[in-house]
Every structure is written in C-alpha cells, then in structure tokens.
Amino acid sequence: CSISSCSVIGNGHSVSGSEKTDYVGGFIGYIDVEGTVNNCFILLGNGMVKGGGAATGYIGLGGLIGWMTKGSVTNCFVSGEVKSGSSVEYTGGLIGYIYDEVTVNNCYTTQGVSQEVSQEGTRDGHDHYLGGLVGRIYGDNCHVHHCVALNPSVKQSDYIGRVTGYRGDADVSQNYGWNKMKVNDETVAGGSPENGDDVSSEDVWESLSFWQNVFGTDSISYDGTKTWTIDKYNYESDKSWGLPYLTRLGKPSDEQAKQIQYLNSQPPYIFVDIYSVDDLKQFRDRVNSGEYGIDIYATLHSNLDLKNEEWEPIGDKAHPFTGTFEGHNETISNLKITETSQNCGLFGFTDGAAIQNVTLENVSISGTFKLGSLVGYANDSTIKNIALENISLTGSTNFGGLIGHQAS
C-alpha cells in the first residue's frame, strides 16, 4: 500500500468521527499492513480532526493517521486542530498510535492538540496519551526522527509531551518542539525524547539552515528544486506561509497562512482555549478588566449551554474586545440578557476584532439600544460564518439579529 502526493484542504470544514468511532485520521483511520505515506499534507484552516471514541479502549485519533502498525510516514505536514473525545486513548497531531514497525521522518505539525474532559470532570478509566506529533509509540522497532511539533498547545491528558505522550523503548530522536508550546497549560523545557529540543519562532519562520538541519540539505531549498521549499521571508512584516511546503503540491494561500500566525511573535499572541462555560466567563472577565488586548486569540473547543442565566457581555466601551474569536463551528446556546440596557450581545463592544465560525441558538435579549445576538456595537470589526437560530430581541433603536450597531 503506497500513498503519495495527496492533500486535503478543508477550508474550515472538519473530519469528524462519532462518539462510537474507534480510529479517526484526517487522511487514514487505520493502517494494519506495511505501507508508505509520502509527500502528503492536510490543511484544515479553521476546521479540525475530531472524534469521540467507543468504550472498548485502544482508540486512536490523529491529524494524518489514527492508528498505524507497519510502514513509514515521510515528508508530511498537518495544519489543523486535533481534538479527541474523553474516551480516546491515543491522540496525536500527526498519528494517534504507532507500534510494531513504523518509521516517521521529516514531518511537522501546527495548531492545537487536545482531549475533552467529560461533564463530570474526568476521562474514562483508561490511561490517555497525547502528543504534538504522536500520541503513543510502542515497540523498539519504531523510529521517529527529524520532525518538528509547532503546536501552540497540547493539553488534557495523562501522558503528554510536545513530541509524544509516551515512547517506551522506541527510537525517538533529533526532533524539535516549539519553545512557547503549552503542555497542560505550562511551558516545558526541551531536551527529552518526549518533548524534543527547543526551537524558536525565529528559527522555524525564516531560517533555511534550521530546516536543512532537520530535513537534510538534499530535501529543502529556496529555489523549488527539492522535495520541500521554503520562501525567503520577512519575519516582522510578511504574512504569507512562512513554513516549508511540499514543492510538488504548492504553497498554501495567504488566507490559509492566518492559521499559523501564532508562530510569528509580532505581536506576541496570547492564546485562550475555551472548553467550558467557566472558561468563557473567565475570558470575558479578563477582557472587561482590560487584561486582554489586541494580542488575544481565543478558540472555542466545545458546544456551550449558558442555561438562560443572566449574561454579562464580552467587552464594553472602556475595554472593547479587540482580538480574534475562533468558534470552530461550535454552538453557544441559551444566551439571556435583561439587565444591560445598551451594547448587548454575546459581545457588548468590539473594536478591530475578528469573530468567526460560531452558531448562536436560543437567544433572548431585552434592552434599549445597540442590541445584537452576536455584538451590540461593532467598530471596524470583521464578522464571518455566523449562524443564528431561534432569537428574540426587544429594544427601542439600533438593534438587529446579528449586530446592533456597525461602525466604520
């Protein structure tokens, strides 16, 4: 079995398994015969690879491959969030689980890898393994070399690492992890096989020499004559795709490049992951206190039910929301506001913000003016891919289903 020079471009769509799915991969769910996957990539944009997992255990989910027993993966990259359900045991940005005889070389991953926690605050009774590249590696004939994990975060697991959650006796070496990556909400030191050596944004974003050191001088160049190409790049001002891309398959678009701008430390982005109503409230309180500014990038990872409890909007005139809110096509339901007279909505006041890919369901707002389900007052803000279902608004002036008042 051989797969080569293939790509998946999701344009915000997701690869989703049900709650009873055992093996989920953005490319391949399960490989149990010797095969090769070479020169392939997955680019999901705002989409994700996600799955729940059956209750039987031994479940794998990966950005490229869910579970692999024999073969090799070479010259591949994944750019898209990977999120597993609470019963999934093995979750990886590239591959969920590898064992027996598998070799992985010259690959990289971007965007977050995480596992949901049940409403009771627990996972199931199994151990869980999660890594920026591979969730778990089992077997002394497995090899992972010359790979780079550039995920902003890996979180919510028992055994966890920037490169892999667990390696056993496998040969895992000469790999790198982004030095700002959060591992269960904390940065960690490099130098171990599980976390790889440290690499900075400057190294990966503008240095041909770094990538030649990782992939080999015969594998990557500026001129498009090798397997990989990296463009000459102005780290401080250029906003195009600043990472290596597979020459034969072409360079990702500038729109797709927005998903990896967290690697560019101009400005130094602050990432907020929202998994629960409490996370959303904490995010709101920090915006409204002025703690968060233009460098905030908030990502919604789960459907949230506000249960018709009185909602205080995110952002006000003194401290508007000015960052990015990525909804990942999740739903926020049962939003109720009756005690705020103006600038009412999920967001009260935004200025230069970007809000996208979220559904609001069962909204009830009563006030005087500048009322909207999503934003009460939106100044110079970009709003896209928003869905509204079953909304009720009562006001006197400047109120609309989506936005109450749009300025500039």
Side-chain angles (χ1 to χ4, degrees):
C1 176
S2 176
I3 300 171
S4 63
S5 300
C6 296
S7 62
V8 173
I9 299 177
N11 292 326
H13 297 283
S14 297
V15 178
S16 302
S18 71
E19 293 182 357
K20 299 299 183 182
T21 304
D22 282 340
Y23 311 106
V24 178
F27 230 79
I28 305 167
Y30 189 98
I31 298 178
D32 64 352
V33 295
E34 186 166 354
T36 61
V37 180
N38 186 41
N39 291 10
C40 297
F41 75 86
I42 293 181
L43 193 65
L44 294 179
N46 296 323
M48 67 175 71
V49 178
K50 59 183 178 180
T56 56
Y58 301 107
I59 305 148
L61 183 142
L64 191 76
I65 300 166
W67 184 290
M68 187 172 188
T69 62
K70 291 182 182 292
S72 64
V73 178
T74 308
N75 296 325
C76 296
F77 74 91
V78 175
S79 182
E81 186 178 0
V82 176
K83 182 175 74 172
S84 60
S86 59
S87 61
V88 174
E89 287 191 78
Y90 312 115
T91 307
L94 188 74
I95 306 172
Y97 184 81
I98 63 175
Y99 81 104
D100 201 0
E101 298 179 13
V102 177
T103 298
V104 181
N105 277 309
N106 289 23
C107 297
Y108 74 87
T109 54
T110 75
Q111 298 187 250
V113 184
S114 62
Q115 182 167 49
E116 293 179 341
V117 177
S118 70
Q119 292 182 354
E120 291 76 22
T122 63
R123 290 176 285 272
D124 62 14
H126 300 285
D127 289 331
H128 295 80
Y129 304 83
L130 186 148
L133 285 162
V134 182
R136 181 176 181 179
I137 307 166
Y138 185 80
D140 56 10
N141 287 322
C142 290
H143 309 272
V144 179
H145 297 151
H146 308 295
C147 295
V148 184
L150 299 174
N151 320 83
S153 63
V154 291
K155 64 188 301 181
Q156 305 284 21
S157 194
D158 305 309
Y159 297 91
I160 191 166
R162 297 190 310 197
V163 172
T164 182
Y166 181 86
R167 68 180 181 93
D169 295 326
D171 180 14
V172 179
S173 61
Q174 297 176 289
N175 302 300
Y176 293 84
W178 188 39
N179 62 350
K180 294 183 180 179
M181 187 191 307
K182 295 294 183 66
V183 179
N184 279 343
D185 297 320
E186 301 288 340
T187 55
V188 299
S192 69
E194 289 78 11
N195 289 312
D197 293 328
D198 285 335
V199 62
S200 69
S201 296
E202 291 84 354
D203 286 336
V204 302
W205 209 260
E206 63 177 2
S207 176
L208 174 63
S209 62
F210 168 76
W211 290 103
Q212 286 179 330
N213 180 58
V214 179
F215 289 168
T217 56
D218 293 335
S219 296
I220 186 167
S221 68
Y222 281 137
D223 60 12
T225 60
K226 310 291 186 183
T227 300
W228 295 92
T229 297
I230 187 168
D231 290 342
K232 294 182 178 180
Y233 196 84
N234 186 327
Y235 176 72
E236 293 187 356
S237 62
D238 199 336
K239 298 299 181 184
S240 65
W241 190 267
L243 299 176
Y245 57 91
L246 292 163
T247 306
R248 186 171 180 177
L249 298 179
K251 182 179 180 180
S253 69
D254 289 356
E255 181 67 24
Q256 292 159 344
K258 291 179 181 179
Q259 304 308 312
I260 60 169
Q261 287 302 317
Y262 63 83
L263 289 166
N264 188 334
S265 63
Q266 306 290 330
Y269 287 109
I270 297 173
F271 295 94
V272 176
D273 294 309
I274 300 171
Y275 291 88
S276 66
V277 173
D278 284 343
D279 288 343
L280 185 66
K281 289 178 178 178
Q282 184 179 68
F283 163 67
R284 174 203 59 202
D285 293 343
R286 290 183 172 180
V287 171
N288 294 355
S289 69
E291 180 178 344
Y292 288 156
I294 62 172
D295 54 1
I296 191 70
Y297 193 108
T299 303
L300 181 64
H301 295 276
S302 304
N303 295 330
L304 301 182
D305 183 358
L306 301 182
K307 298 182 178 180
N308 287 316
E309 296 176 358
E310 183 68 22
W311 177 253
E312 178 185 350
I314 302 167
D316 54 31
K317 190 172 183 180
H319 300 113
F321 176 64
T322 55
T324 298
F325 184 89
E326 169 54 57
H328 263 315
N329 300 312
E330 306 286 4
T331 298
I332 297 175
S333 60
N334 299 316
L335 168 66
K336 177 183 177 182
I337 301 174
T338 61
E339 298 176 4
T340 304
S341 63
Q342 60 179 301
N343 300 331
C344 297
L346 177 66
F347 292 84
F349 202 111
T350 66
D351 187 6
I355 304 171
Q356 58 199 26
N357 304 315
V358 67
T359 295
L360 299 181
E361 184 180 81
N362 299 334
V363 176
S364 177
I365 300 176
S366 177
T368 54
F369 61 100
K370 298 176 184 175
L371 319 176
S373 296
L374 184 69
V375 186
Y377 186 98
N379 182 61
D380 194 26
S381 296
T382 301
I383 312 293
K384 65 179 182 180
N385 297 335
I386 307 298
L388 304 176
E389 299 179 13
N390 190 23
I391 63 172
S392 174
L393 283 81
T394 303
S396 58
T397 184
N398 290 37
F399 66 96
L402 183 68
I403 300 171
H405 185 115
Q406 172 73 47
S408 300

